[in-house]
Amino acid sequence: MPATFALYDKSILPPGFRYPDAIQAIAKGNGTLPTGPWWFVDAASDAGKLFYSIRNHDGRNLVPFAKMDGDIACFDGDDRTGNPAVLALVLDDSGRAYGFKDFASWLIEACSLSTR
């Protein structure tokens, strides 16, 4: 995984959406990176463009940011607080999903997977 990665440009993000400070720091190479199965999506990559193209899954307004096997973690794009909830979609056509209160909660879980 690269030490830095691009986040989606403000010009294509949902109006008023703000990334959490923690992911902005990590994207710039400062902060804790999960070393396990999760990897951050580089918005400038082909994968990042593909994930953004499916962001309105089931009518939800999502901002993808990380991937693990068949799961993709997304921020709630309707959030305007700078501390959005995280929804992880299971990409197996089952419609399953699971969530986290915020990015900090997701990051704790992602980092704990790397130590299991």
Side-chain angles (χ1 to χ4, degrees):
M1 175 175 17
T4 62
F5 57 94
L7 296 172
Y8 296 103
D9 189 75
K10 183 178 180 176
S11 66
I12 66 167
L13 290 172
F17 175 81
R18 293 183 298 142
Y19 280 107
D21 291 341
I23 195 170
Q24 291 181 62
I26 293 168
K28 294 175 185 171
N30 306 314
T32 303
L33 285 169
T35 57
W38 284 101
W39 51 272
F40 285 105
V41 173
D42 185 341
S45 71
D46 289 341
K49 292 171 188 167
L50 173 64
F51 295 147
Y52 203 78
S53 74
I54 61 170
R55 66 180 216 80
N56 289 314
H57 180 77
D58 289 339
R60 296 176 176 129
N61 190 16
L62 303 174
V63 178
F65 68 89
K67 177 85 172 75
M68 172 183 74
D69 298 328
D71 299 0
I72 186 165
C74 304
F75 291 117
D76 173 0
D78 291 328
D79 187 279
R80 307 292 181 259
T81 67
N83 190 30
V86 172
L87 180 67
L89 304 173
V90 180
L91 301 178
D92 64 359
D93 293 328
S94 68
R96 293 178 297 142
Y98 52 100
F100 299 89
K101 178 179 83 169
D102 54 21
F103 179 71
S105 299
W106 174 87
L107 188 60
I108 289 167
E109 177 66 20
C111 289
S112 75
L113 288 175
S114 67
T115 61
R116 290 183 187 167

